[in-house]
Amino acid sequence: MPELPEVETIRRQLLQALPGRLIAEVEEADLFMLRDVTEEELRRRLPGKRVESVQRRGKFLILPLSDSLYLTIHLGMTGQLLILGDEAQALTHVRFSFRLLQPAAGGPPAGTGASRMEGAPGGPGTTTRLVFRDVRKFGRVHLTEGAPAARLAPMGPDALEDEWTAAELAESLRGRRAPLKAFLLDQRRLAGIGNIYADEILWSTRLSPLRPAGSLSSEEIAVLAREIRSRLAEGVRLRGCSISDFMDTEGRAGGFQEVLQAYGRHGEACSRCGTTLVRTIVAGRGTAYCPRCQR
DNA sequence: CCCAAGTCCTGGTTGC
DNA sequence: TGCAACCAGGACTTGG
């Protein structure tokens, strides 16, 4: 599932590939995935626009374009973003894609067919595409004038990048009766945590996913703040979690699935205390935790 | 048939 | 009692 570390992995790759490039043509635009924009409008407005940068907020990727347009992408549950050449046309489940051009000026000169760049993605004589592929169709593509405020405004601070303190976390937790895991999944509190990292963070903190969010002591909140950052940073360092569909823009898997301690491990022994991890449903999501050392 | 799980939406509950 | 904030659960999607 693309959560903060997976989206950040994608962002860093897009940042190497996209800024300065021009959008040539929208090739696919699945109406189902589009928000704040019609298919006709997308096909008409994107060509000729330059990608200015690649940003992230929580699980949203934000691409500011020239002329104050913003292309915003959410990968949903199974979304993948790939930078490909002509092999893109053999993919299934492509929901959105556009062809990219080198910048009109400043880029490498258009070479002859004999250029040693021949065959490299984006090199002279080849086509580069940004392809959004999504089996489950939970992903979304937005096009807005200015930043997509309707999506971003309700969100809390980015769980990894933004400055937020344990004291602010305590304030946010105060009085909440909902289970702690539901709090972690709520993007209005902190943005970026999904089901996998929620289970992992909770295991690391030794806190039960079922604890009422408002019941944590200040010591527990300090541990929670630390582990949120620590496990998300580990996810970024390992380039995401490829337990199911996740891959980076070059089709490579991440490594976080190798270090999972709780998610998906119900029935196995807790690596800390040996107790069998159990599975339950919290906030409508499958939840694995250690009933002995997570309290 | 149920499960996986992102976000959005609805309707019921809680507490001031 | 009124009302807003809060919270649970369903809808959506499709392959395993």
Side-chain angles (χ1 to χ4, degrees), chain A residues 6-21 23 50-57 59-66 69-73 75 81 83 98 100 130 161 249:
Chain A
E6 289 73 35
V7 179
E8 177 63 16
T9 298
I10 299 280
R11 187 193 73 86
R12 292 180 180 188
Q13 290 185 301
L14 295 184
L15 198 57
Q16 296 301 312
L18 296 187
R21 286 199 186 244
I23 297 172
R50 184 178 60 248
V51 180
E52 305 285 10
S53 68
V54 185
Q55 304 166 356
R56 182 187 59 75
R57 178 82 183 282
K59 303 173 193 171
F60 283 90
L61 273 173
I62 305 160
L63 279 63
L65 309 177
S66 45
L69 275 182
Y70 281 72
L71 185 67
T72 302
I73 297 173
L75 296 172
L81 273 178
I83 296 173
F98 54 70
L100 288 158
L130 181 68
E161 301 298 332
T249 65

mmCIF file of all heavy atoms in Angstrom, chain A residues 6-21 23 50-57 59-66 69-73 75 81 83 98 100 130 161 249:
data_model
loop_
_atom_site.group_PDB
_atom_site.id
_atom_site.type_symbol
_atom_site.label_atom_id
_atom_site.label_comp_id
_atom_site.label_asym_id
_atom_site.label_seq_id
_atom_site.Cartn_x
_atom_site.Cartn_y
_atom_site.Cartn_z
ATOM 1 N N GLU A 6 6.336 5.126 0.772
ATOM 2 C CA GLU A 6 6.254 4.712 -0.624
ATOM 3 C C GLU A 6 6.078 5.930 -1.526
ATOM 4 O O GLU A 6 6.717 6.052 -2.576
ATOM 5 C CB GLU A 6 5.081 3.738 -0.826
ATOM 6 C CG GLU A 6 5.304 2.364 -0.207
ATOM 7 C CD GLU A 6 5.215 2.371 1.316
ATOM 8 O OE1 GLU A 6 4.401 3.142 1.864
ATOM 9 O OE2 GLU A 6 5.969 1.635 1.969
ATOM 10 N N VAL A 7 5.212 6.852 -1.105
ATOM 11 C CA VAL A 7 4.983 8.052 -1.911
ATOM 12 C C VAL A 7 6.241 8.922 -1.951
ATOM 13 O O VAL A 7 6.584 9.495 -2.987
ATOM 14 C CB VAL A 7 3.769 8.846 -1.372
ATOM 15 C CG1 VAL A 7 3.538 10.105 -2.189
ATOM 16 C CG2 VAL A 7 2.519 7.971 -1.406
ATOM 17 N N GLU A 8 6.969 8.967 -0.843
ATOM 18 C CA GLU A 8 8.216 9.731 -0.805
ATOM 19 C C GLU A 8 9.271 9.104 -1.729
ATOM 20 O O GLU A 8 10.032 9.818 -2.387
ATOM 21 C CB GLU A 8 8.726 9.822 0.631
ATOM 22 C CG GLU A 8 10.052 10.538 0.797
ATOM 23 C CD GLU A 8 10.012 12.016 0.392
ATOM 24 O OE1 GLU A 8 8.913 12.579 0.259
ATOM 25 O OE2 GLU A 8 11.104 12.584 0.184
ATOM 26 N N THR A 9 9.304 7.778 -1.770
ATOM 27 C CA THR A 9 10.227 7.085 -2.678
ATOM 28 C C THR A 9 9.944 7.471 -4.126
ATOM 29 O O THR A 9 10.859 7.789 -4.893
ATOM 30 C CB THR A 9 10.085 5.559 -2.493
ATOM 31 O OG1 THR A 9 10.434 5.228 -1.152
ATOM 32 C CG2 THR A 9 10.992 4.799 -3.452
ATOM 33 N N ILE A 10 8.665 7.467 -4.466
ATOM 34 C CA ILE A 10 8.253 7.877 -5.818
ATOM 35 C C ILE A 10 8.621 9.347 -6.060
ATOM 36 O O ILE A 10 9.153 9.703 -7.113
ATOM 37 C CB ILE A 10 6.721 7.709 -5.974
ATOM 38 C CG1 ILE A 10 6.314 6.247 -5.795
ATOM 39 C CG2 ILE A 10 6.254 8.272 -7.310
ATOM 40 C CD1 ILE A 10 6.519 5.392 -6.986
ATOM 41 N N ARG A 11 8.342 10.191 -5.058
ATOM 42 C CA ARG A 11 8.600 11.615 -5.229
ATOM 43 C C ARG A 11 10.067 11.894 -5.553
ATOM 44 O O ARG A 11 10.383 12.679 -6.442
ATOM 45 C CB ARG A 11 8.221 12.398 -3.968
ATOM 46 C CG ARG A 11 8.298 13.916 -4.145
ATOM 47 C CD ARG A 11 8.228 14.645 -2.802
ATOM 48 N NE ARG A 11 9.448 14.505 -2.039
ATOM 49 C CZ ARG A 11 10.513 15.298 -2.162
ATOM 50 N NH1 ARG A 11 10.494 16.299 -3.017
ATOM 51 N NH2 ARG A 11 11.586 15.092 -1.437
ATOM 52 N N ARG A 12 10.951 11.218 -4.832
ATOM 53 C CA ARG A 12 12.387 11.465 -5.044
ATOM 54 C C ARG A 12 12.813 11.064 -6.447
ATOM 55 O O ARG A 12 13.667 11.710 -7.049
ATOM 56 C CB ARG A 12 13.203 10.704 -3.993
ATOM 57 C CG ARG A 12 12.994 11.288 -2.618
ATOM 58 C CD ARG A 12 13.787 10.559 -1.557
ATOM 59 N NE ARG A 12 13.540 11.161 -0.254
ATOM 60 C CZ ARG A 12 14.201 10.851 0.853
ATOM 61 N NH1 ARG A 12 15.159 9.949 0.802
ATOM 62 N NH2 ARG A 12 13.903 11.436 1.998
ATOM 63 N N GLN A 13 12.203 10.012 -6.968
ATOM 64 C CA GLN A 13 12.545 9.614 -8.335
ATOM 65 C C GLN A 13 11.963 10.573 -9.362
ATOM 66 O O GLN A 13 12.625 10.928 -10.331
ATOM 67 C CB GLN A 13 12.042 8.197 -8.603
ATOM 68 C CG GLN A 13 12.818 7.150 -7.818
ATOM 69 C CD GLN A 13 12.390 5.755 -8.174
ATOM 70 O OE1 GLN A 13 11.228 5.402 -8.015
ATOM 71 N NE2 GLN A 13 13.314 4.953 -8.673
ATOM 72 N N LEU A 14 10.729 10.994 -9.121
ATOM 73 C CA LEU A 14 10.113 11.940 -10.058
ATOM 74 C C LEU A 14 10.881 13.255 -10.077
ATOM 75 O O LEU A 14 10.978 13.922 -11.108
ATOM 76 C CB LEU A 14 8.648 12.196 -9.686
ATOM 77 C CG LEU A 14 7.700 11.003 -9.786
ATOM 78 C CD1 LEU A 14 6.269 11.450 -9.469
ATOM 79 C CD2 LEU A 14 7.748 10.365 -11.166
ATOM 80 N N LEU A 15 11.433 13.613 -8.913
ATOM 81 C CA LEU A 15 12.173 14.866 -8.805
ATOM 82 C C LEU A 15 13.426 14.841 -9.694
ATOM 83 O O LEU A 15 13.895 15.880 -10.142
ATOM 84 C CB LEU A 15 12.563 15.091 -7.342
ATOM 85 C CG LEU A 15 12.959 16.505 -6.925
ATOM 86 C CD1 LEU A 15 11.847 17.493 -7.222
ATOM 87 C CD2 LEU A 15 13.296 16.529 -5.439
ATOM 88 N N GLN A 16 13.958 13.654 -9.907
ATOM 89 C CA GLN A 16 15.112 13.524 -10.800
ATOM 90 C C GLN A 16 14.698 13.577 -12.268
ATOM 91 O O GLN A 16 15.490 13.946 -13.127
ATOM 92 C CB GLN A 16 15.836 12.191 -10.535
ATOM 93 C CG GLN A 16 16.434 12.080 -9.150
ATOM 94 C CD GLN A 16 17.444 13.170 -8.857
ATOM 95 O OE1 GLN A 16 18.331 13.442 -9.663
ATOM 96 N NE2 GLN A 16 17.289 13.844 -7.729
ATOM 97 N N ALA A 17 13.470 13.170 -12.530
ATOM 98 C CA ALA A 17 13.079 12.945 -13.927
ATOM 99 C C ALA A 17 12.195 14.034 -14.521
ATOM 100 O O ALA A 17 12.227 14.248 -15.727
ATOM 101 C CB ALA A 17 12.351 11.601 -14.035
ATOM 102 N N LEU A 18 11.404 14.702 -13.696
ATOM 103 C CA LEU A 18 10.339 15.530 -14.271
ATOM 104 C C LEU A 18 10.595 17.039 -14.356
ATOM 105 O O LEU A 18 10.250 17.643 -15.378
ATOM 106 C CB LEU A 18 9.027 15.304 -13.497
ATOM 107 C CG LEU A 18 8.434 13.908 -13.557
ATOM 108 C CD1 LEU A 18 7.059 13.895 -12.900
ATOM 109 C CD2 LEU A 18 8.326 13.414 -14.984
ATOM 110 N N PRO A 19 11.128 17.687 -13.336
ATOM 111 C CA PRO A 19 11.183 19.142 -13.384
ATOM 112 C C PRO A 19 11.911 19.658 -14.628
ATOM 113 O O PRO A 19 12.973 19.147 -14.991
ATOM 114 C CB PRO A 19 11.931 19.528 -12.106
ATOM 115 C CG PRO A 19 11.571 18.442 -11.164
ATOM 116 C CD PRO A 19 11.566 17.192 -12.013
ATOM 117 N N GLY A 20 11.307 20.645 -15.262
ATOM 118 C CA GLY A 20 11.862 21.205 -16.484
ATOM 119 C C GLY A 20 11.303 20.581 -17.743
ATOM 120 O O GLY A 20 11.361 21.167 -18.814
ATOM 121 N N ARG A 21 10.734 19.391 -17.596
ATOM 122 C CA ARG A 21 10.164 18.744 -18.785
ATOM 123 C C ARG A 21 8.800 19.326 -19.119
ATOM 124 O O ARG A 21 8.100 19.830 -18.255
ATOM 125 C CB ARG A 21 10.034 17.250 -18.560
ATOM 126 C CG ARG A 21 11.348 16.510 -18.597
ATOM 127 C CD ARG A 21 11.059 15.049 -18.826
ATOM 128 N NE ARG A 21 12.263 14.252 -18.733
ATOM 129 C CZ ARG A 21 12.773 13.569 -19.772
ATOM 130 N NH1 ARG A 21 12.176 13.613 -20.937
ATOM 131 N NH2 ARG A 21 13.864 12.859 -19.614
ATOM 132 N N ILE A 23 4.983 18.668 -20.864
ATOM 133 C CA ILE A 23 4.001 17.623 -21.176
ATOM 134 C C ILE A 23 3.616 17.773 -22.640
ATOM 135 O O ILE A 23 3.222 18.860 -23.084
ATOM 136 C CB ILE A 23 2.762 17.762 -20.275
ATOM 137 C CG1 ILE A 23 3.178 17.555 -18.817
ATOM 138 C CG2 ILE A 23 1.687 16.767 -20.693
ATOM 139 C CD1 ILE A 23 2.074 17.859 -17.818
ATOM 140 N N ARG A 50 4.904 22.979 -18.332
ATOM 141 C CA ARG A 50 6.177 22.514 -17.793
ATOM 142 C C ARG A 50 5.983 22.036 -16.356
ATOM 143 O O ARG A 50 5.269 22.683 -15.573
ATOM 144 C CB ARG A 50 7.196 23.653 -17.826
ATOM 145 C CG ARG A 50 8.606 23.262 -17.375
ATOM 146 C CD ARG A 50 9.576 24.421 -17.479
ATOM 147 N NE ARG A 50 9.158 25.542 -16.649
ATOM 148 C CZ ARG A 50 8.742 26.712 -17.121
ATOM 149 N NH1 ARG A 50 8.695 26.926 -18.420
ATOM 150 N NH2 ARG A 50 8.366 27.664 -16.309
ATOM 151 N N VAL A 51 6.593 20.922 -15.998
ATOM 152 C CA VAL A 51 6.562 20.453 -14.608
ATOM 153 C C VAL A 51 7.587 21.263 -13.823
ATOM 154 O O VAL A 51 8.770 21.238 -14.134
ATOM 155 C CB VAL A 51 6.891 18.944 -14.520
ATOM 156 C CG1 VAL A 51 6.848 18.484 -13.068
ATOM 157 C CG2 VAL A 51 5.928 18.136 -15.369
ATOM 158 N N GLU A 52 7.119 21.977 -12.799
ATOM 159 C CA GLU A 52 8.017 22.871 -12.057
ATOM 160 C C GLU A 52 8.747 22.159 -10.925
ATOM 161 O O GLU A 52 9.915 22.405 -10.674
ATOM 162 C CB GLU A 52 7.225 24.049 -11.485
ATOM 163 C CG GLU A 52 6.427 24.847 -12.521
ATOM 164 C CD GLU A 52 7.295 25.754 -13.391
ATOM 165 O OE1 GLU A 52 8.538 25.642 -13.325
ATOM 166 O OE2 GLU A 52 6.736 26.552 -14.149
ATOM 167 N N SER A 53 8.034 21.322 -10.192
ATOM 168 C CA SER A 53 8.671 20.582 -9.100
ATOM 169 C C SER A 53 7.794 19.389 -8.741
ATOM 170 O O SER A 53 6.747 19.168 -9.348
ATOM 171 C CB SER A 53 8.881 21.483 -7.882
ATOM 172 O OG SER A 53 7.643 21.837 -7.317
ATOM 173 N N VAL A 54 8.231 18.609 -7.765
ATOM 174 C CA VAL A 54 7.463 17.453 -7.311
ATOM 175 C C VAL A 54 7.421 17.500 -5.794
ATOM 176 O O VAL A 54 8.454 17.371 -5.131
ATOM 177 C CB VAL A 54 8.090 16.122 -7.784
ATOM 178 C CG1 VAL A 54 7.190 14.955 -7.393
ATOM 179 C CG2 VAL A 54 8.330 16.139 -9.284
ATOM 180 N N GLN A 55 6.238 17.701 -5.247
ATOM 181 C CA GLN A 55 6.089 17.834 -3.804
ATOM 182 C C GLN A 55 5.225 16.704 -3.258
ATOM 183 O O GLN A 55 4.586 15.974 -4.010
ATOM 184 C CB GLN A 55 5.442 19.190 -3.482
ATOM 185 C CG GLN A 55 6.211 20.364 -4.068
ATOM 186 C CD GLN A 55 5.412 21.669 -4.057
ATOM 187 O OE1 GLN A 55 4.253 21.698 -3.671
ATOM 188 N NE2 GLN A 55 6.058 22.741 -4.497
ATOM 189 N N ARG A 56 5.207 16.588 -1.935
ATOM 190 C CA ARG A 56 4.382 15.570 -1.290
ATOM 191 C C ARG A 56 3.781 16.132 -0.030
ATOM 192 O O ARG A 56 4.418 16.921 0.683
ATOM 193 C CB ARG A 56 5.231 14.339 -0.940
ATOM 194 C CG ARG A 56 4.442 13.199 -0.309
ATOM 195 C CD ARG A 56 5.348 12.079 0.160
ATOM 196 N NE ARG A 56 6.313 12.544 1.145
ATOM 197 C CZ ARG A 56 6.006 12.815 2.407
ATOM 198 N NH1 ARG A 56 4.770 12.677 2.839
ATOM 199 N NH2 ARG A 56 6.921 13.254 3.239
ATOM 200 N N ARG A 57 2.560 15.751 0.238
ATOM 201 C CA ARG A 57 1.944 16.087 1.522
ATOM 202 C C ARG A 57 1.149 14.871 1.946
ATOM 203 O O ARG A 57 0.199 14.482 1.251
ATOM 204 C CB ARG A 57 1.041 17.316 1.348
ATOM 205 C CG ARG A 57 0.317 17.739 2.593
ATOM 206 C CD ARG A 57 1.200 18.584 3.507
ATOM 207 N NE ARG A 57 0.488 18.905 4.714
ATOM 208 C CZ ARG A 57 -0.441 19.859 4.817
ATOM 209 N NH1 ARG A 57 -0.739 20.602 3.776
ATOM 210 N NH2 ARG A 57 -1.053 20.047 5.963
ATOM 211 N N LYS A 59 0.017 11.421 1.794
ATOM 212 C CA LYS A 59 0.088 10.435 0.708
ATOM 213 C C LYS A 59 -0.186 11.061 -0.651
ATOM 214 O O LYS A 59 -0.281 10.334 -1.646
ATOM 215 C CB LYS A 59 -0.924 9.313 0.973
ATOM 216 C CG LYS A 59 -0.733 8.620 2.318
ATOM 217 C CD LYS A 59 -1.866 7.638 2.603
ATOM 218 C CE LYS A 59 -1.849 7.205 4.058
ATOM 219 N NZ LYS A 59 -3.059 6.418 4.412
ATOM 220 N N PHE A 60 -0.315 12.388 -0.699
ATOM 221 C CA PHE A 60 -0.576 13.062 -1.975
ATOM 222 C C PHE A 60 0.722 13.512 -2.633
ATOM 223 O O PHE A 60 1.588 14.104 -1.977
ATOM 224 C CB PHE A 60 -1.452 14.306 -1.763
ATOM 225 C CG PHE A 60 -2.913 14.001 -1.544
ATOM 226 C CD1 PHE A 60 -3.399 13.784 -0.260
ATOM 227 C CD2 PHE A 60 -3.797 13.926 -2.614
ATOM 228 C CE1 PHE A 60 -4.750 13.502 -0.048
ATOM 229 C CE2 PHE A 60 -5.138 13.643 -2.415
ATOM 230 C CZ PHE A 60 -5.620 13.436 -1.134
ATOM 231 N N LEU A 61 0.842 13.255 -3.930
ATOM 232 C CA LEU A 61 1.924 13.816 -4.747
ATOM 233 C C LEU A 61 1.388 15.049 -5.441
ATOM 234 O O LEU A 61 0.304 15.008 -6.030
ATOM 235 C CB LEU A 61 2.365 12.815 -5.806
ATOM 236 C CG LEU A 61 3.426 11.811 -5.425
ATOM 237 C CD1 LEU A 61 3.587 10.814 -6.561
ATOM 238 C CD2 LEU A 61 4.756 12.497 -5.135
ATOM 239 N N ILE A 62 2.145 16.135 -5.370
ATOM 240 C CA ILE A 62 1.679 17.403 -5.924
ATOM 241 C C ILE A 62 2.702 17.890 -6.939
ATOM 242 O O ILE A 62 3.869 18.085 -6.612
ATOM 243 C CB ILE A 62 1.508 18.440 -4.807
ATOM 244 C CG1 ILE A 62 0.569 17.890 -3.721
ATOM 245 C CG2 ILE A 62 0.974 19.753 -5.370
ATOM 246 C CD1 ILE A 62 0.688 18.593 -2.383
ATOM 247 N N LEU A 63 2.239 18.083 -8.175
ATOM 248 C CA LEU A 63 3.117 18.544 -9.244
ATOM 249 C C LEU A 63 2.676 19.938 -9.700
ATOM 250 O O LEU A 63 1.743 20.054 -10.491
ATOM 251 C CB LEU A 63 3.075 17.586 -10.448
ATOM 252 C CG LEU A 63 3.922 16.309 -10.376
ATOM 253 C CD1 LEU A 63 3.488 15.389 -9.268
ATOM 254 C CD2 LEU A 63 3.899 15.585 -11.721
ATOM 255 N N PRO A 64 3.352 20.989 -9.196
ATOM 256 C CA PRO A 64 3.062 22.314 -9.719
ATOM 257 C C PRO A 64 3.526 22.387 -11.175
ATOM 258 O O PRO A 64 4.630 21.965 -11.501
ATOM 259 C CB PRO A 64 3.906 23.245 -8.829
ATOM 260 C CG PRO A 64 4.289 22.424 -7.632
ATOM 261 C CD PRO A 64 4.350 21.016 -8.114
ATOM 262 N N LEU A 65 2.643 22.911 -12.021
ATOM 263 C CA LEU A 65 2.955 23.075 -13.444
ATOM 264 C C LEU A 65 3.033 24.567 -13.756
ATOM 265 O O LEU A 65 2.682 25.402 -12.922
ATOM 266 C CB LEU A 65 1.862 22.427 -14.313
ATOM 267 C CG LEU A 65 1.491 20.977 -13.982
ATOM 268 C CD1 LEU A 65 0.347 20.522 -14.900
ATOM 269 C CD2 LEU A 65 2.683 20.047 -14.142
ATOM 270 N N SER A 66 3.494 24.884 -14.950
ATOM 271 C CA SER A 66 3.498 26.278 -15.360
ATOM 272 C C SER A 66 2.069 26.809 -15.428
ATOM 273 O O SER A 66 1.098 26.037 -15.472
ATOM 274 C CB SER A 66 4.192 26.429 -16.722
ATOM 275 O OG SER A 66 3.758 25.442 -17.633
ATOM 276 N N LEU A 69 -1.064 25.881 -12.685
ATOM 277 C CA LEU A 69 -1.836 24.641 -12.647
ATOM 278 C C LEU A 69 -1.145 23.657 -11.706
ATOM 279 O O LEU A 69 0.082 23.641 -11.603
ATOM 280 C CB LEU A 69 -1.935 24.020 -14.036
ATOM 281 C CG LEU A 69 -3.042 24.522 -14.954
ATOM 282 C CD1 LEU A 69 -2.994 23.744 -16.261
ATOM 283 C CD2 LEU A 69 -4.409 24.383 -14.307
ATOM 284 N N TYR A 70 -1.961 22.846 -11.014
ATOM 285 C CA TYR A 70 -1.419 21.820 -10.122
ATOM 286 C C TYR A 70 -2.014 20.473 -10.494
ATOM 287 O O TYR A 70 -3.232 20.299 -10.496
ATOM 288 C CB TYR A 70 -1.750 22.141 -8.662
ATOM 289 C CG TYR A 70 -0.855 23.183 -8.054
ATOM 290 C CD1 TYR A 70 -0.970 24.526 -8.429
ATOM 291 C CD2 TYR A 70 0.101 22.840 -7.109
ATOM 292 C CE1 TYR A 70 -0.148 25.493 -7.875
ATOM 293 C CE2 TYR A 70 0.919 23.800 -6.542
ATOM 294 C CZ TYR A 70 0.800 25.116 -6.931
ATOM 295 O OH TYR A 70 1.613 26.068 -6.372
ATOM 296 N N LEU A 71 -1.131 19.534 -10.780
ATOM 297 C CA LEU A 71 -1.547 18.157 -11.011
ATOM 298 C C LEU A 71 -1.268 17.384 -9.726
ATOM 299 O O LEU A 71 -0.124 17.327 -9.270
ATOM 300 C CB LEU A 71 -0.764 17.554 -12.178
ATOM 301 C CG LEU A 71 -1.162 16.151 -12.620
ATOM 302 C CD1 LEU A 71 -2.562 16.149 -13.222
ATOM 303 C CD2 LEU A 71 -0.160 15.601 -13.634
ATOM 304 N N THR A 72 -2.305 16.830 -9.111
ATOM 305 C CA THR A 72 -2.165 16.151 -7.828
ATOM 306 C C THR A 72 -2.594 14.700 -7.989
ATOM 307 O O THR A 72 -3.632 14.423 -8.578
ATOM 308 C CB THR A 72 -3.024 16.855 -6.761
ATOM 309 O OG1 THR A 72 -2.615 18.215 -6.685
ATOM 310 C CG2 THR A 72 -2.856 16.197 -5.413
ATOM 311 N N ILE A 73 -1.777 13.797 -7.471
ATOM 312 C CA ILE A 73 -2.019 12.366 -7.669
ATOM 313 C C ILE A 73 -2.041 11.652 -6.320
ATOM 314 O O ILE A 73 -1.161 11.851 -5.485
ATOM 315 C CB ILE A 73 -0.936 11.748 -8.575
ATOM 316 C CG1 ILE A 73 -0.998 12.387 -9.972
ATOM 317 C CG2 ILE A 73 -1.102 10.236 -8.668
ATOM 318 C CD1 ILE A 73 0.132 11.966 -10.900
ATOM 319 N N LEU A 75 -2.226 7.696 -4.915
ATOM 320 C CA LEU A 75 -2.033 6.349 -5.445
ATOM 321 C C LEU A 75 -3.039 5.345 -4.912
ATOM 322 O O LEU A 75 -3.044 4.193 -5.348
ATOM 323 C CB LEU A 75 -0.606 5.875 -5.140
ATOM 324 C CG LEU A 75 0.483 6.698 -5.837
ATOM 325 C CD1 LEU A 75 1.862 6.289 -5.343
ATOM 326 C CD2 LEU A 75 0.392 6.556 -7.342
ATOM 327 N N LEU A 81 3.222 4.562 -10.143
ATOM 328 C CA LEU A 81 3.656 5.581 -11.101
ATOM 329 C C LEU A 81 4.964 5.104 -11.708
ATOM 330 O O LEU A 81 5.916 4.815 -10.992
ATOM 331 C CB LEU A 81 3.868 6.926 -10.403
ATOM 332 C CG LEU A 81 2.666 7.836 -10.268
ATOM 333 C CD1 LEU A 81 3.049 9.093 -9.505
ATOM 334 C CD2 LEU A 81 2.080 8.199 -11.625
ATOM 335 N N ILE A 83 7.965 5.609 -14.852
ATOM 336 C CA ILE A 83 8.561 6.399 -15.922
ATOM 337 C C ILE A 83 9.079 5.414 -16.948
ATOM 338 O O ILE A 83 9.987 4.632 -16.662
ATOM 339 C CB ILE A 83 9.693 7.294 -15.383
ATOM 340 C CG1 ILE A 83 9.113 8.309 -14.404
ATOM 341 C CG2 ILE A 83 10.391 8.007 -16.540
ATOM 342 C CD1 ILE A 83 10.166 9.117 -13.689
ATOM 343 N N PHE A 98 0.908 10.460 -19.663
ATOM 344 C CA PHE A 98 1.219 11.482 -20.661
ATOM 345 C C PHE A 98 2.650 11.353 -21.138
ATOM 346 O O PHE A 98 3.511 10.772 -20.472
ATOM 347 C CB PHE A 98 0.912 12.894 -20.159
ATOM 348 C CG PHE A 98 1.549 13.295 -18.858
ATOM 349 C CD1 PHE A 98 2.913 13.511 -18.760
ATOM 350 C CD2 PHE A 98 0.760 13.482 -17.727
ATOM 351 C CE1 PHE A 98 3.481 13.910 -17.559
ATOM 352 C CE2 PHE A 98 1.320 13.879 -16.521
ATOM 353 C CZ PHE A 98 2.688 14.090 -16.445
ATOM 354 N N LEU A 100 6.248 12.977 -22.388
ATOM 355 C CA LEU A 100 7.070 14.104 -21.940
ATOM 356 C C LEU A 100 8.066 14.494 -23.015
ATOM 357 O O LEU A 100 8.579 13.657 -23.750
ATOM 358 C CB LEU A 100 7.844 13.697 -20.678
ATOM 359 C CG LEU A 100 6.997 13.558 -19.415
ATOM 360 C CD1 LEU A 100 7.684 12.666 -18.412
ATOM 361 C CD2 LEU A 100 6.723 14.923 -18.807
ATOM 362 N N LEU A 130 5.052 9.346 -18.332
ATOM 363 C CA LEU A 130 4.678 9.121 -16.946
ATOM 364 C C LEU A 130 3.364 8.351 -16.969
ATOM 365 O O LEU A 130 2.373 8.821 -17.522
ATOM 366 C CB LEU A 130 4.499 10.438 -16.183
ATOM 367 C CG LEU A 130 4.136 10.252 -14.704
ATOM 368 C CD1 LEU A 130 5.301 9.651 -13.925
ATOM 369 C CD2 LEU A 130 3.707 11.561 -14.072
ATOM 370 N N GLU A 161 7.858 14.998 7.518
ATOM 371 C CA GLU A 161 8.595 16.191 7.093
ATOM 372 C C GLU A 161 8.304 17.420 7.947
ATOM 373 O O GLU A 161 9.181 18.243 8.176
ATOM 374 C CB GLU A 161 8.282 16.511 5.623
ATOM 375 C CG GLU A 161 8.628 15.391 4.669
ATOM 376 C CD GLU A 161 10.116 15.050 4.650
ATOM 377 O OE1 GLU A 161 10.929 15.946 4.918
ATOM 378 O OE2 GLU A 161 10.438 13.882 4.390
ATOM 379 N N THR A 249 9.352 3.987 -9.514
ATOM 380 C CA THR A 249 9.062 4.422 -10.890
ATOM 381 C C THR A 249 9.811 3.598 -11.930
ATOM 382 O O THR A 249 9.531 3.690 -13.109
ATOM 383 C CB THR A 249 9.442 5.904 -11.101
ATOM 384 O OG1 THR A 249 10.862 6.036 -10.971
ATOM 385 C CG2 THR A 249 8.747 6.812 -10.099
#
